[in-house]
Amino acid sequence: MFSSSREIFQRTCAFFGIFNNSILALLILYRSPKKLGNYKFLMMYISIFETLYSLLDFSTIPEIFSKDYVFLIIIEKRLTVLPNFLLQCALIIFGSLFGMSMAIFAIHFVYRYLVMTGSQFIKTHHLLKVLGLIGFTLCMGVAWSFLHSSYHPIPQADIFLDVEYLKPRNLQLTEISYSGPCFQVQDEKGVLRMNWDVVGTTGVMILLISLSFSTVFYCGISIYKNIKSMTSMRSSLDQSLQSQLFYALVFQTLIPVILMHIPASFGFLVSIFGNSIQLFGQLPTFSIFLFPMLDPLPNFFIIRSYRQAITEFFGCILSTTSSHKTDSNHKLEMRPRAAAIVVN
């Protein structure tokens, strides 16, 4: 029952993640302000990234299992639409997308910082440098793939999963694929010791995430100060657009931080010390699926041109519905009159 409810919830969230990001992509293409310039390519990149994330979510329905010293991403083969030989690749891609997401938001803040400070760096070959920022995140994705691939299944994790995860669900090891760190292993005497094979990888991951957070924080504070101090130096229209873009980006960054990075990172860190509980895996299992669905919403409500486009769309629907009702009522009123004429 729990498994079926989780599947319905996750597939529904993934569907709306695809839908909302597709709508945002159309708005970016056709209703972006002209002054947005090449920044729309970065905005489109986020939309495409989150659409692909949702597609992978929808097709695999992953679950995070965390207990004691393990933190694993698990895919039940019966739930996925992918062939078995692709499941391990899908697990590595999940780890890659997790780390890559913060790099993507970091380069957005870097770009907005360069624009607000009037940096000479983006004054020439602007589009190439925007594409270069996108290329940097793709390189980060490849690096995260290599890092996550070191979290391959090991016999100790198989034994732990069999007792703690598989038997309570009446599953066999052959019915799942999994990936993730097992931070402690038993030695020949049966004593738990640190699994040093994953410590280095984990340290690099924590460092990369810390650098991304630091970049976002530094650039965000600098952008906010510039918006406040340059009010008299910019036109009101330009000032309004810069504020809209900044606040939309802030909320668009807070959503994955709150729903994905904080719950997953907490469970991950607690597992290092061997003190995790299953709740620390169940919580991000559900919250991470909400992230691509909710993340486009700040753009819909904060960026004026997108908000106007959505308002116009629903206004057209309401007016069309109202006109249909009016025509129907008019036809109903005419029928008794026509009948009266025939009788007379």
Side-chain angles (χ1 to χ4, degrees):
M1 181 67 183
F2 175 78
S3 180
S4 61
S5 299
R6 178 175 66 84
E7 181 186 359
I8 293 169
F9 172 82
Q10 290 177 307
R11 289 200 192 277
T12 302
C13 289
F15 170 79
F16 280 106
I18 296 167
F19 178 78
N20 289 346
N21 280 286
S22 298
I23 297 297
L24 178 58
L26 291 173
L27 290 172
I28 293 169
L29 279 175
Y30 298 109
R31 294 303 295 263
S32 292
K34 290 184 178 180
K35 287 193 174 185
L36 199 62
N38 291 324
Y39 183 62
K40 68 181 179 182
F41 293 108
L42 287 177
M43 294 181 68
M44 180 65 75
Y45 181 49
I46 284 187
S47 184
I48 293 171
F49 172 84
E50 293 179 359
T51 300
L52 293 175
Y53 205 123
S54 295
L55 283 170
L56 190 61
D57 283 344
F58 187 89
S59 60
T60 57
I61 313 297
E63 179 182 5
I64 296 176
F65 175 71
S66 180
K67 193 173 191 304
D68 296 341
Y69 46 81
V70 302
F71 190 84
L72 308 173
I73 304 173
I74 300 173
I75 296 175
E76 286 189 44
K77 294 178 181 179
R78 66 179 182 84
L79 299 178
T80 181
V81 298
L82 297 180
N84 291 343
F85 70 91
L86 286 179
L87 294 185
Q88 206 61 35
C89 292
L91 290 165
I92 292 173
I93 292 172
F94 268 116
S96 175
L97 294 179
F98 176 83
M100 193 177 167
S101 62
M102 275 310 299
I104 289 175
F105 288 107
I107 63 130
H108 276 69
F109 275 93
V110 168
Y111 179 87
R112 298 247 51 87
Y113 171 78
L114 293 173
V115 169
M116 291 302 298
T117 56
S119 172
Q120 294 297 317
F121 177 76
I122 58 172
K123 293 290 178 70
T124 58
H125 305 294
H126 192 181
L127 179 57
L128 286 176
K129 288 169 182 175
V130 169
L131 295 176
L133 290 173
I134 293 174
F136 170 76
T137 65
L138 294 174
C139 291
M140 287 291 292
V142 172
W144 270 85
S145 295
F146 280 111
L147 290 169
H148 194 81
S149 63
S150 68
Y151 290 150
H152 52 78
I154 59 174
Q156 290 89 340
D158 290 348
I159 295 170
F160 189 88
L161 273 176
D162 185 53
V163 175
E164 300 291 344
Y165 181 88
L166 297 173
K167 285 183 178 177
R169 293 167 173 80
N170 295 317
L171 294 172
Q172 300 293 323
L173 190 61
T174 55
E175 297 178 89
I176 67 166
S177 286
Y178 75 91
S179 177
C182 179
F183 289 109
Q184 296 182 29
V185 293
Q186 288 185 342
D187 59 18
E188 296 81 1
K189 298 179 180 179
V191 178
L192 286 174
R193 59 174 178 80
M194 182 63 70
N195 181 10
W196 295 105
D197 292 340
V198 301
V199 170
T201 298
T202 303
V204 173
M205 287 180 169
I206 292 172
L207 176 62
L208 292 175
I209 292 176
S210 299
L211 288 173
S212 295
F213 272 109
S214 300
T215 301
V216 167
F217 184 77
Y218 174 79
C219 291
I221 294 296
S222 300
I223 293 167
Y224 180 78
K225 289 180 178 178
N226 272 276
I227 289 175
K228 293 299 181 182
S229 63
M230 298 181 70
T231 303
S232 60
M233 300 175 64
R234 293 177 180 264
S235 68
S236 59
L237 184 62
D238 187 44
Q239 176 72 16
S240 174
L241 178 59
Q242 294 298 333
S243 296
Q244 291 169 41
L245 293 175
F246 172 68
Y247 288 115
L249 181 57
V250 167
F251 283 103
Q252 200 175 8
T253 305
L254 283 175
I255 288 171
V257 168
I258 293 171
L259 294 179
M260 180 168 65
H261 287 277
I262 290 178
S265 297
F266 181 78
F268 191 84
L269 291 172
V270 173
S271 299
I272 295 175
F273 300 100
N275 294 319
S276 187
I277 58 176
Q278 291 192 37
L279 177 64
F280 298 155
Q282 292 169 353
L283 181 60
T285 293
F286 286 92
S287 63
I288 286 175
F289 271 76
L290 291 169
F291 137 63
M293 179 182 74
L294 298 178
D295 209 41
L297 300 185
N299 292 286
F300 294 162
F301 297 112
I302 296 175
I303 299 178
R304 183 178 301 161
S305 58
Y306 300 165
R307 185 172 68 245
Q308 289 174 343
I310 292 171
T311 303
E312 289 170 10
F313 174 76
F314 283 106
C316 288
I317 290 177
L318 291 174
S319 63
T320 302
T321 304
S322 178
S323 64
H324 281 313
K325 287 182 178 179
T326 302
D327 290 342
S328 299
N329 292 336
H330 183 66
K331 289 177 181 177
L332 289 172
E333 290 174 1
M334 291 295 293
R335 285 174 184 173
R337 294 178 184 176
I341 292 170
V342 171
V343 171
N344 292 331

PDB file of all heavy atoms in Angstrom, residues 178-203:
ATOM      1  N   TYR A 178      20.605  -0.549  -6.910  1.00  0.00           N
ATOM      2  CA  TYR A 178      20.873   0.489  -5.930  1.00  0.00           C
ATOM      3  C   TYR A 178      22.278   1.049  -6.110  1.00  0.00           C
ATOM      4  O   TYR A 178      23.155   0.432  -6.725  1.00  0.00           O
ATOM      5  CB  TYR A 178      20.686  -0.026  -4.502  1.00  0.00           C
ATOM      6  CG  TYR A 178      21.804  -0.920  -3.983  1.00  0.00           C
ATOM      7  CD1 TYR A 178      22.893  -0.373  -3.306  1.00  0.00           C
ATOM      8  CD2 TYR A 178      21.752  -2.306  -4.144  1.00  0.00           C
ATOM      9  CE1 TYR A 178      23.913  -1.183  -2.820  1.00  0.00           C
ATOM     10  CE2 TYR A 178      22.764  -3.114  -3.662  1.00  0.00           C
ATOM     11  CZ  TYR A 178      23.846  -2.548  -3.002  1.00  0.00           C
ATOM     12  OH  TYR A 178      24.853  -3.347  -2.521  1.00  0.00           O
ATOM     13  N   SER A 179      22.447   2.232  -5.546  1.00  0.00           N
ATOM     14  CA  SER A 179      23.753   2.880  -5.567  1.00  0.00           C
ATOM     15  C   SER A 179      23.816   3.826  -4.381  1.00  0.00           C
ATOM     16  O   SER A 179      22.804   4.404  -3.976  1.00  0.00           O
ATOM     17  CB  SER A 179      23.943   3.656  -6.873  1.00  0.00           C
ATOM     18  OG  SER A 179      25.168   4.348  -6.877  1.00  0.00           O
ATOM     19  N   GLY A 180      25.003   3.981  -3.820  1.00  0.00           N
ATOM     20  CA  GLY A 180      25.166   4.882  -2.693  1.00  0.00           C
ATOM     21  C   GLY A 180      26.236   4.393  -1.750  1.00  0.00           C
ATOM     22  O   GLY A 180      26.707   3.254  -1.851  1.00  0.00           O
ATOM     23  N   PRO A 181      26.629   5.238  -0.803  1.00  0.00           N
ATOM     24  CA  PRO A 181      27.724   4.882   0.098  1.00  0.00           C
ATOM     25  C   PRO A 181      27.300   3.996   1.258  1.00  0.00           C
ATOM     26  O   PRO A 181      26.223   4.157   1.833  1.00  0.00           O
ATOM     27  CB  PRO A 181      28.203   6.247   0.613  1.00  0.00           C
ATOM     28  CG  PRO A 181      26.981   7.100   0.572  1.00  0.00           C
ATOM     29  CD  PRO A 181      26.184   6.639  -0.616  1.00  0.00           C
ATOM     30  N   CYS A 182      28.147   3.049   1.567  1.00  0.00           N
ATOM     31  CA  CYS A 182      28.056   2.267   2.800  1.00  0.00           C
ATOM     32  C   CYS A 182      29.276   2.691   3.615  1.00  0.00           C
ATOM     33  O   CYS A 182      30.404   2.307   3.319  1.00  0.00           O
ATOM     34  CB  CYS A 182      28.074   0.781   2.481  1.00  0.00           C
ATOM     35  SG  CYS A 182      27.995  -0.286   3.935  1.00  0.00           S
ATOM     36  N   PHE A 183      29.063   3.549   4.611  1.00  0.00           N
ATOM     37  CA  PHE A 183      30.175   4.232   5.273  1.00  0.00           C
ATOM     38  C   PHE A 183      30.951   3.350   6.256  1.00  0.00           C
ATOM     39  O   PHE A 183      32.067   3.689   6.629  1.00  0.00           O
ATOM     40  CB  PHE A 183      29.664   5.481   6.000  1.00  0.00           C
ATOM     41  CG  PHE A 183      29.255   6.576   5.058  1.00  0.00           C
ATOM     42  CD1 PHE A 183      27.914   6.903   4.880  1.00  0.00           C
ATOM     43  CD2 PHE A 183      30.201   7.282   4.337  1.00  0.00           C
ATOM     44  CE1 PHE A 183      27.536   7.903   4.006  1.00  0.00           C
ATOM     45  CE2 PHE A 183      29.832   8.292   3.461  1.00  0.00           C
ATOM     46  CZ  PHE A 183      28.494   8.596   3.302  1.00  0.00           C
ATOM     47  N   GLN A 184      30.340   2.240   6.667  1.00  0.00           N
ATOM     48  CA  GLN A 184      31.039   1.334   7.574  1.00  0.00           C
ATOM     49  C   GLN A 184      30.912  -0.108   7.062  1.00  0.00           C
ATOM     50  O   GLN A 184      29.876  -0.477   6.512  1.00  0.00           O
ATOM     51  CB  GLN A 184      30.477   1.441   8.997  1.00  0.00           C
ATOM     52  CG  GLN A 184      30.694   2.816   9.638  1.00  0.00           C
ATOM     53  CD  GLN A 184      30.164   2.877  11.061  1.00  0.00           C
ATOM     54  OE1 GLN A 184      30.132   1.867  11.761  1.00  0.00           O
ATOM     55  NE2 GLN A 184      29.763   4.051  11.497  1.00  0.00           N
ATOM     56  N   VAL A 185      31.961  -0.867   7.225  1.00  0.00           N
ATOM     57  CA  VAL A 185      31.962  -2.279   6.826  1.00  0.00           C
ATOM     58  C   VAL A 185      32.538  -3.110   7.966  1.00  0.00           C
ATOM     59  O   VAL A 185      33.262  -2.598   8.829  1.00  0.00           O
ATOM     60  CB  VAL A 185      32.783  -2.502   5.536  1.00  0.00           C
ATOM     61  CG1 VAL A 185      32.113  -1.835   4.343  1.00  0.00           C
ATOM     62  CG2 VAL A 185      34.210  -1.994   5.706  1.00  0.00           C
ATOM     63  N   GLN A 186      32.213  -4.396   7.955  1.00  0.00           N
ATOM     64  CA  GLN A 186      32.728  -5.297   8.994  1.00  0.00           C
ATOM     65  C   GLN A 186      34.067  -5.890   8.553  1.00  0.00           C
ATOM     66  O   GLN A 186      34.240  -6.289   7.400  1.00  0.00           O
ATOM     67  CB  GLN A 186      31.736  -6.426   9.261  1.00  0.00           C
ATOM     68  CG  GLN A 186      30.489  -5.983  10.011  1.00  0.00           C
ATOM     69  CD  GLN A 186      29.592  -7.149  10.367  1.00  0.00           C
ATOM     70  OE1 GLN A 186      29.702  -8.226   9.796  1.00  0.00           O
ATOM     71  NE2 GLN A 186      28.702  -6.941  11.335  1.00  0.00           N
ATOM     72  N   ASP A 187      35.010  -5.926   9.486  1.00  0.00           N
ATOM     73  CA  ASP A 187      36.289  -6.570   9.177  1.00  0.00           C
ATOM     74  C   ASP A 187      36.184  -8.078   9.443  1.00  0.00           C
ATOM     75  O   ASP A 187      35.097  -8.608   9.697  1.00  0.00           O
ATOM     76  CB  ASP A 187      37.429  -5.936   9.986  1.00  0.00           C
ATOM     77  CG  ASP A 187      37.208  -6.032  11.492  1.00  0.00           C
ATOM     78  OD1 ASP A 187      36.383  -6.871  11.931  1.00  0.00           O
ATOM     79  OD2 ASP A 187      37.866  -5.290  12.248  1.00  0.00           O
ATOM     80  N   GLU A 188      37.321  -8.776   9.385  1.00  0.00           N
ATOM     81  CA  GLU A 188      37.322 -10.229   9.559  1.00  0.00           C
ATOM     82  C   GLU A 188      36.798 -10.674  10.914  1.00  0.00           C
ATOM     83  O   GLU A 188      36.258 -11.769  11.078  1.00  0.00           O
ATOM     84  CB  GLU A 188      38.747 -10.775   9.382  1.00  0.00           C
ATOM     85  CG  GLU A 188      39.338 -10.574   7.987  1.00  0.00           C
ATOM     86  CD  GLU A 188      39.882  -9.171   7.796  1.00  0.00           C
ATOM     87  OE1 GLU A 188      39.812  -8.355   8.767  1.00  0.00           O
ATOM     88  OE2 GLU A 188      40.353  -8.853   6.695  1.00  0.00           O
ATOM     89  N   LYS A 189      36.919  -9.806  11.925  1.00  0.00           N
ATOM     90  CA  LYS A 189      36.469 -10.132  13.275  1.00  0.00           C
ATOM     91  C   LYS A 189      35.019  -9.718  13.519  1.00  0.00           C
ATOM     92  O   LYS A 189      34.515  -9.863  14.635  1.00  0.00           O
ATOM     93  CB  LYS A 189      37.379  -9.458  14.302  1.00  0.00           C
ATOM     94  CG  LYS A 189      38.830  -9.926  14.218  1.00  0.00           C
ATOM     95  CD  LYS A 189      39.675  -9.200  15.247  1.00  0.00           C
ATOM     96  CE  LYS A 189      41.139  -9.649  15.173  1.00  0.00           C
ATOM     97  NZ  LYS A 189      41.994  -8.933  16.176  1.00  0.00           N
ATOM     98  N   GLY A 190      34.367  -9.164  12.497  1.00  0.00           N
ATOM     99  CA  GLY A 190      32.975  -8.748  12.658  1.00  0.00           C
ATOM    100  C   GLY A 190      32.817  -7.387  13.298  1.00  0.00           C
ATOM    101  O   GLY A 190      31.713  -6.999  13.670  1.00  0.00           O
ATOM    102  N   VAL A 191      33.919  -6.634  13.391  1.00  0.00           N
ATOM    103  CA  VAL A 191      33.883  -5.288  13.992  1.00  0.00           C
ATOM    104  C   VAL A 191      33.680  -4.253  12.892  1.00  0.00           C
ATOM    105  O   VAL A 191      34.336  -4.307  11.849  1.00  0.00           O
ATOM    106  CB  VAL A 191      35.184  -5.002  14.762  1.00  0.00           C
ATOM    107  CG1 VAL A 191      35.152  -3.588  15.349  1.00  0.00           C
ATOM    108  CG2 VAL A 191      35.392  -6.041  15.859  1.00  0.00           C
ATOM    109  N   LEU A 192      32.756  -3.328  13.122  1.00  0.00           N
ATOM    110  CA  LEU A 192      32.511  -2.275  12.143  1.00  0.00           C
ATOM    111  C   LEU A 192      33.673  -1.296  12.115  1.00  0.00           C
ATOM    112  O   LEU A 192      34.171  -0.858  13.145  1.00  0.00           O
ATOM    113  CB  LEU A 192      31.215  -1.526  12.475  1.00  0.00           C
ATOM    114  CG  LEU A 192      29.895  -2.246  12.191  1.00  0.00           C
ATOM    115  CD1 LEU A 192      28.733  -1.427  12.710  1.00  0.00           C
ATOM    116  CD2 LEU A 192      29.729  -2.500  10.697  1.00  0.00           C
ATOM    117  N   ARG A 193      34.095  -0.941  10.919  1.00  0.00           N
ATOM    118  CA  ARG A 193      35.146   0.067  10.744  1.00  0.00           C
ATOM    119  C   ARG A 193      34.762   0.976   9.585  1.00  0.00           C
ATOM    120  O   ARG A 193      33.910   0.637   8.753  1.00  0.00           O
ATOM    121  CB  ARG A 193      36.482  -0.609  10.458  1.00  0.00           C
ATOM    122  CG  ARG A 193      36.500  -1.484   9.209  1.00  0.00           C
ATOM    123  CD  ARG A 193      37.882  -2.005   8.885  1.00  0.00           C
ATOM    124  NE  ARG A 193      37.870  -2.880   7.722  1.00  0.00           N
ATOM    125  CZ  ARG A 193      37.855  -2.459   6.453  1.00  0.00           C
ATOM    126  NH1 ARG A 193      37.821  -1.147   6.205  1.00  0.00           N
ATOM    127  NH2 ARG A 193      37.852  -3.326   5.454  1.00  0.00           N
ATOM    128  N   MET A 194      35.390   2.139   9.514  1.00  0.00           N
ATOM    129  CA  MET A 194      35.091   3.099   8.461  1.00  0.00           C
ATOM    130  C   MET A 194      35.493   2.535   7.102  1.00  0.00           C
ATOM    131  O   MET A 194      36.561   1.946   6.952  1.00  0.00           O
ATOM    132  CB  MET A 194      35.837   4.406   8.721  1.00  0.00           C
ATOM    133  CG  MET A 194      35.564   5.503   7.688  1.00  0.00           C
ATOM    134  SD  MET A 194      33.833   6.038   7.640  1.00  0.00           S
ATOM    135  CE  MET A 194      33.693   6.899   9.214  1.00  0.00           C
ATOM    136  N   ASN A 195      34.616   2.721   6.121  1.00  0.00           N
ATOM    137  CA  ASN A 195      34.909   2.304   4.749  1.00  0.00           C
ATOM    138  C   ASN A 195      35.657   3.443   4.054  1.00  0.00           C
ATOM    139  O   ASN A 195      35.058   4.352   3.487  1.00  0.00           O
ATOM    140  CB  ASN A 195      33.605   1.981   4.011  1.00  0.00           C
ATOM    141  CG  ASN A 195      33.838   1.520   2.587  1.00  0.00           C
ATOM    142  OD1 ASN A 195      34.970   1.254   2.188  1.00  0.00           O
ATOM    143  ND2 ASN A 195      32.764   1.429   1.816  1.00  0.00           N
ATOM    144  N   TRP A 196      36.968   3.381   4.076  1.00  0.00           N
ATOM    145  CA  TRP A 196      37.789   4.472   3.560  1.00  0.00           C
ATOM    146  C   TRP A 196      37.682   4.611   2.044  1.00  0.00           C
ATOM    147  O   TRP A 196      38.075   5.641   1.477  1.00  0.00           O
ATOM    148  CB  TRP A 196      39.239   4.288   3.980  1.00  0.00           C
ATOM    149  CG  TRP A 196      39.414   4.389   5.470  1.00  0.00           C
ATOM    150  CD1 TRP A 196      39.636   3.381   6.351  1.00  0.00           C
ATOM    151  CD2 TRP A 196      39.351   5.596   6.246  1.00  0.00           C
ATOM    152  NE1 TRP A 196      39.712   3.854   7.642  1.00  0.00           N
ATOM    153  CE2 TRP A 196      39.543   5.224   7.610  1.00  0.00           C
ATOM    154  CE3 TRP A 196      39.152   6.940   5.945  1.00  0.00           C
ATOM    155  CZ2 TRP A 196      39.549   6.150   8.643  1.00  0.00           C
ATOM    156  CZ3 TRP A 196      39.150   7.873   6.980  1.00  0.00           C
ATOM    157  CH2 TRP A 196      39.346   7.466   8.304  1.00  0.00           C
ATOM    158  N   ASP A 197      37.143   3.609   1.372  1.00  0.00           N
ATOM    159  CA  ASP A 197      37.006   3.682  -0.085  1.00  0.00           C
ATOM    160  C   ASP A 197      36.052   4.793  -0.520  1.00  0.00           C
ATOM    161  O   ASP A 197      36.139   5.286  -1.652  1.00  0.00           O
ATOM    162  CB  ASP A 197      36.511   2.343  -0.640  1.00  0.00           C
ATOM    163  CG  ASP A 197      37.547   1.241  -0.493  1.00  0.00           C
ATOM    164  OD1 ASP A 197      38.743   1.571  -0.338  1.00  0.00           O
ATOM    165  OD2 ASP A 197      37.161   0.052  -0.533  1.00  0.00           O
ATOM    166  N   VAL A 198      35.107   5.155   0.364  1.00  0.00           N
ATOM    167  CA  VAL A 198      34.128   6.182  -0.019  1.00  0.00           C
ATOM    168  C   VAL A 198      34.386   7.517   0.667  1.00  0.00           C
ATOM    169  O   VAL A 198      33.723   8.508   0.353  1.00  0.00           O
ATOM    170  CB  VAL A 198      32.691   5.715   0.309  1.00  0.00           C
ATOM    171  CG1 VAL A 198      32.361   4.421  -0.423  1.00  0.00           C
ATOM    172  CG2 VAL A 198      32.489   5.539   1.814  1.00  0.00           C
ATOM    173  N   VAL A 199      35.332   7.569   1.585  1.00  0.00           N
ATOM    174  CA  VAL A 199      35.579   8.796   2.344  1.00  0.00           C
ATOM    175  C   VAL A 199      36.096   9.908   1.442  1.00  0.00           C
ATOM    176  O   VAL A 199      35.643  11.066   1.506  1.00  0.00           O
ATOM    177  CB  VAL A 199      36.566   8.537   3.505  1.00  0.00           C
ATOM    178  CG1 VAL A 199      37.015   9.856   4.136  1.00  0.00           C
ATOM    179  CG2 VAL A 199      35.912   7.649   4.554  1.00  0.00           C
ATOM    180  N   GLY A 200      37.057   9.590   0.574  1.00  0.00           N
ATOM    181  CA  GLY A 200      37.622  10.606  -0.309  1.00  0.00           C
ATOM    182  C   GLY A 200      36.572  11.185  -1.246  1.00  0.00           C
ATOM    183  O   GLY A 200      36.481  12.413  -1.427  1.00  0.00           O
ATOM    184  N   THR A 201      35.768  10.306  -1.850  1.00  0.00           N
ATOM    185  CA  THR A 201      34.703  10.752  -2.750  1.00  0.00           C
ATOM    186  C   THR A 201      33.712  11.648  -2.020  1.00  0.00           C
ATOM    187  O   THR A 201      33.301  12.699  -2.536  1.00  0.00           O
ATOM    188  CB  THR A 201      33.954   9.530  -3.327  1.00  0.00           C
ATOM    189  OG1 THR A 201      34.871   8.747  -4.084  1.00  0.00           O
ATOM    190  CG2 THR A 201      32.811   9.962  -4.208  1.00  0.00           C
ATOM    191  N   THR A 202      33.341  11.231  -0.820  1.00  0.00           N
ATOM    192  CA  THR A 202      32.390  12.014  -0.030  1.00  0.00           C
ATOM    193  C   THR A 202      32.948  13.391   0.304  1.00  0.00           C
ATOM    194  O   THR A 202      32.240  14.401   0.224  1.00  0.00           O
ATOM    195  CB  THR A 202      32.042  11.261   1.271  1.00  0.00           C
ATOM    196  OG1 THR A 202      31.514   9.966   0.948  1.00  0.00           O
ATOM    197  CG2 THR A 202      31.045  12.037   2.099  1.00  0.00           C
ATOM    198  N   GLY A 203      34.230  13.453   0.637  1.00  0.00           N
ATOM    199  CA  GLY A 203      34.866  14.728   0.953  1.00  0.00           C
ATOM    200  C   GLY A 203      34.857  15.677  -0.231  1.00  0.00           C
ATOM    201  O   GLY A 203      34.579  16.885  -0.079  1.00  0.00           O
TER     202      GLY A 203
END
